[in-house]
Amino acid sequence: MPHIELVPTGTVGTPQWAYSGGSSFVDSVDEDDDSTYIFEVTMNHYVALEITDPTVSESEIDFDEDVIVRPTILAHHTGTGNANVEVQIIGQPGSSISLPADTIAVANDSSFPTYTGTAQTVYAAGSDWTYAELEYMRLKLTLKSRLARFQSVRVSYAYLRLSYTEAVTGVTHDAILFGTNF
């Protein structure tokens, strides 16, 4: 099953998180290392990230099979214990995406381990993914823990992992049915 990492291309609204080391939010969460990151210290502050469209065409995805989208972040907490971050796939205005948030317990681990949310096989209850809904996806991160002074949650890489079954293209047969085959 092939997969694609759909990365942020911008932010939505006014982000409540801050960024460090990059020139923008997108620049700060587009690499899987700790050279740049976004961070937050205040409970219930969020950032919503625009996500790139799939890099394959609609005809290349078999929508009769599973299409799976999983929110993924590389993160760590600068304090002791864990800090909770909600990750949620949301949609653009006009989209029908309606999915619950997942709470991820981010640990104090300066290597920025990978955390994943629930694999979503539908974009709303009973509605399988469509190409249009894949194009409407956004990723929202919300800090859900009250942190001690001078502590923060840091995210160095954020993306949606799209896994799908490749569509089978028509098979052509060059067999000669009459003539030299008999």
Side-chain angles (χ1 to χ4, degrees):
M1 182 174 263
H3 68 272
I4 303 168
E5 291 179 3
L6 304 174
V7 296
T9 59
T11 57
V12 179
T14 304
Q16 296 173 311
W17 287 43
Y19 60 89
S20 173
S23 60
S24 68
F25 281 93
V26 172
D27 183 48
S28 297
V29 293
D30 66 350
E31 299 171 9
D32 61 350
D33 63 30
D34 63 355
S35 63
T36 59
Y37 53 86
I38 60 175
F39 65 97
E40 187 50 55
V41 298
T42 306
M43 185 172 164
N44 292 323
H45 276 195
Y46 70 90
V47 60
L49 302 165
E50 290 278 355
I51 297 294
T52 188
D53 290 340
T55 56
V56 296
S57 68
E58 183 173 2
S59 64
E60 295 177 72
I61 300 174
D62 185 348
F63 286 96
D64 292 330
E65 299 295 328
D66 281 338
V67 174
I68 302 166
V69 180
R70 182 184 301 266
T72 306
I73 61 173
L74 276 64
H76 89 93
H77 172 42
T78 62
T80 58
N82 293 330
N84 292 330
V85 175
E86 276 185 356
V87 295
Q88 183 178 17
I89 300 169
I90 61 174
Q92 297 176 6
S95 165
S96 298
I97 295 174
S98 176
L99 296 168
D102 287 321
T103 300
I104 295 173
V106 176
N108 178 350
D109 184 337
S110 61
S111 66
F112 286 86
T114 301
Y115 296 95
T116 58
T118 301
Q120 301 292 343
T121 58
V122 296
Y123 67 84
S127 299
D128 291 337
W129 285 104
T130 65
Y131 198 78
E133 297 304 332
L134 292 176
E135 292 177 313
Y136 288 143
M137 294 186 302
R138 294 175 171 172
L139 176 59
K140 182 179 178 184
L141 308 176
T142 306
L143 180 61
K144 297 307 282 185
S145 292
R146 188 172 310 283
L147 302 180
R149 190 172 182 188
F150 305 117
Q151 294 180 359
S152 66
V153 168
R154 297 177 179 178
V155 176
S156 67
Y157 197 30
Y159 61 93
L160 296 177
R161 182 181 175 123
L162 169 63
S163 301
Y164 61 95
T165 301
E166 292 179 286
V168 177
T169 56
V171 177
T172 59
H173 298 282
D174 292 332
I176 300 171
L177 298 177
F178 298 102
T180 58
N181 275 5
F182 280 148

